[in-house]
């Protein structure tokens, strides 16, 4: 296989990531990757006047799960709400992984953000992760007045495995006449368990999240159902046959990663259903580049595009 055509700035970062990102991940290696340290919420907040509070709520089947509310110390109410689902392939990381954007949006928009500690596979396979996430969304929407955000400007946000769960939750909200969503923001989403696209086959043993890691994670989520016709679109949103009636959608993805083709297909299916989607495919970019190499030129462009979309979306409801 030819060496992937990475952006030069991003290619220079990859050697330092070796052993710290899931490449060739097997089930036996999961605990090692789970043990890798992420910056704490306190480290991500730094000296900014932002607070976070935990709430224990009922998850799927009545089991207790935790959500954390992030808001400015001087929060006045009436701003947008951001519901966050963390990444990690649905099998690793926690609700505070990569909440830096939530902190920034709290500061910039006086947003209230909720991030959910869903139960992960393989200990809790489908439907537990996505149902936990939906329970958290319902809780957030039901407490809009108490939390102090405008329920007309509630956006679901997730990346990677969290992007897949965010897309699944958005489908659930539509199908169950649940919380009204003003948008869904999906970064390099993990949405197709079949792994049959060109990009899903092309990138193995390279990059940040490869074909082997993807197959391992999907097997943990779905077990023997992975790749069969017996998979719910709430688990793997690429399985959805009807993407009508969804809120405005932002999707981005690296051009040199497993999720490229499924992300493009999902945006195309939204357009085909008459929906609104903005799609960005970032040339030379591996999975998660915007978090792992935020100072690179391509990551700065990616984050600026994300911010532009969100700013335009939120302006609609003002």
């Amino acid at each position: 296989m030819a060496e992937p055509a990475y952006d030069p700035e991003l290619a220079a970062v990859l050697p330092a990531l070796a052993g710290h990102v899931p490449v060739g991940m097997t089930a036996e290696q999961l605990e090692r990757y789970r043990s890798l340290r992420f910056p704490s919420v306190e480290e991500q907040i730094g000296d900014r006047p932002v607070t976070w509070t935990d709430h224990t709520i009922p998850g799927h089947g009545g089991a207790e799960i935790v959500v954390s509310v992030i808001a400015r110390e001087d929060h006045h109410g009436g701003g947008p709400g951001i519901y966050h689902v963390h990444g990690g392939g649905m099998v690793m990381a926690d609700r505070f992984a990569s909440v830096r954007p939530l902190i920034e949006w709290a500061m910039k928009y006086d947003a209230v953000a909720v991030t959910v500690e869903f139960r992960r596979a393989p200990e809790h396979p489908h439907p537990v992760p996505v149902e936990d996430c939906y329970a958290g969304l319902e809780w957030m929407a039901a407490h809009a007045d108490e939390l102090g955000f405008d329920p007309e400007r509630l956006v679901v946000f997730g990346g990677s495995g969290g992007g897949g769960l965010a897309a699944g939750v958005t489908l659930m909200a539509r199908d169950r006449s649940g919380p009204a969503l003003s948008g869904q923001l999906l970064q390099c989403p993990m949405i197709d368990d079949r792994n049959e696209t060109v990009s899903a086959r092309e990138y193995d043993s390279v990059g940040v999240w490869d074909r082997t890691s993807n197959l391992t994670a999907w097997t943990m989520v779905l077990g023997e159902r992975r790749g069969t016709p017996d998979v719910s679109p709430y688990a793997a949103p690429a399985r959805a046959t009807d993407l009508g009636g969804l809120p405005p959608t932002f999707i981005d993805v690296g051009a040199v990663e497993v999720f490229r083709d499924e992300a493009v297909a999902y945006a195309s299916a939204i357009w085909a259903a008459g929906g609104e989607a903005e799609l960005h495919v970032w040339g030379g970019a591996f999975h998660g580049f915007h978090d792992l190499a935020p100072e690179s030129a391509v990551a700065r462009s990616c984050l600026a595009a994300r911010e532009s979309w969100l700013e335009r979306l939120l302006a609609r409801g003002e």
Side-chain angles (χ1 to χ4, degrees):
M1 184 182 71
E3 186 70 18
Y6 292 119
D7 173 271
E9 279 189 286
L10 298 184
V13 170
L14 275 175
L17 297 176
H20 300 281
V21 293
V23 177
M25 184 184 74
T26 63
E28 294 73 25
Q29 296 171 322
L30 177 61
E31 288 306 319
R32 182 172 77 81
Y33 285 110
R34 280 182 171 179
S35 69
L36 294 176
R37 184 181 179 278
F38 287 89
S40 68
V41 63
E42 293 89 353
E43 289 171 318
Q44 293 178 77
I45 290 173
D47 59 1
R48 289 174 288 193
V50 171
T51 63
W52 60 276
T53 55
D54 288 344
H55 299 262
T56 300
I57 68 169
H60 179 56
E64 292 185 345
I65 61 172
V66 175
V67 296
S68 295
V69 179
I70 295 173
R72 272 180 14 191
E73 290 179 359
D74 64 347
H75 174 62
H76 295 299
I82 309 289
Y83 183 68
H84 174 248
V85 186
H86 72 77
M90 310 184 211
V91 299
M92 63 186 80
D94 63 27
R95 68 189 183 281
F96 293 129
S98 301
V99 294
R100 191 169 284 107
L102 309 183
I103 297 161
E104 294 169 354
W105 295 331
M107 291 298 301
K108 181 174 181 179
Y109 302 114
D110 199 15
V112 172
V114 171
T115 183
V116 58
E117 193 68 59
F118 62 87
R119 288 169 289 169
R120 306 171 301 190
E123 296 87 349
H124 302 281
H126 179 76
V128 175
V130 72
E131 290 284 2
D132 277 355
C133 292
Y134 186 70
L137 176 67
E138 286 195 307
W139 178 87
M140 182 180 185
H143 292 79
D145 288 344
E146 174 188 334
L147 297 175
F149 71 89
D150 180 357
E152 300 294 318
R153 292 195 291 163
L154 175 55
V155 180
V156 172
F157 165 50
S160 191
L165 290 167
V169 162
T170 301
L171 291 171
M172 284 179 161
R174 179 199 65 181
D175 296 345
R176 298 177 180 180
S177 299
L181 300 174
S182 65
Q184 60 172 339
L185 201 170
L186 312 176
Q187 293 209 270
C188 48
M190 176 183 173
I191 54 177
D192 195 344
D193 65 293
R194 293 165 293 192
N195 293 282
E196 293 174 349
T197 68
V198 171
S199 61
R201 295 181 180 279
E202 187 174 7
Y203 300 113
D204 204 6
S205 303
V206 294
V208 166
W209 179 267
D210 66 337
R211 175 177 176 82
T212 296
S213 301
N214 204 39
L215 289 168
T216 296
W218 274 118
T219 301
M220 290 177 180
V221 173
L222 295 172
E224 294 181 355
R225 289 175 293 168
R226 179 186 61 77
T228 72
D230 184 26
V231 173
S232 165
Y234 303 144
R239 298 295 196 115
T241 57
D242 175 15
L243 292 183
L246 297 180
T249 299
F250 177 97
I251 300 175
D252 72 1
V253 70
V256 194
E257 68 161 300
V258 166
F259 297 144
R260 179 193 67 210
D261 294 346
E262 61 202 65
V264 172
Y266 203 65
S268 297
I270 291 174
W271 293 323
E276 178 184 341
E278 179 167 317
L279 171 69
H280 296 266
V281 182
W282 298 102
F286 50 69
H287 183 68
F289 68 100
H290 55 281
D291 280 334
L292 296 167
E295 297 305 316
S296 64
V298 66
R300 290 197 303 270
S301 295
C302 164
L303 296 173
R306 181 181 75 182
E307 196 65 26
S308 172
W309 178 85
L310 184 61
E311 196 168 273
R312 286 178 279 122
L313 179 79
L314 297 179
R316 298 182 188 185
E318 290 180 345

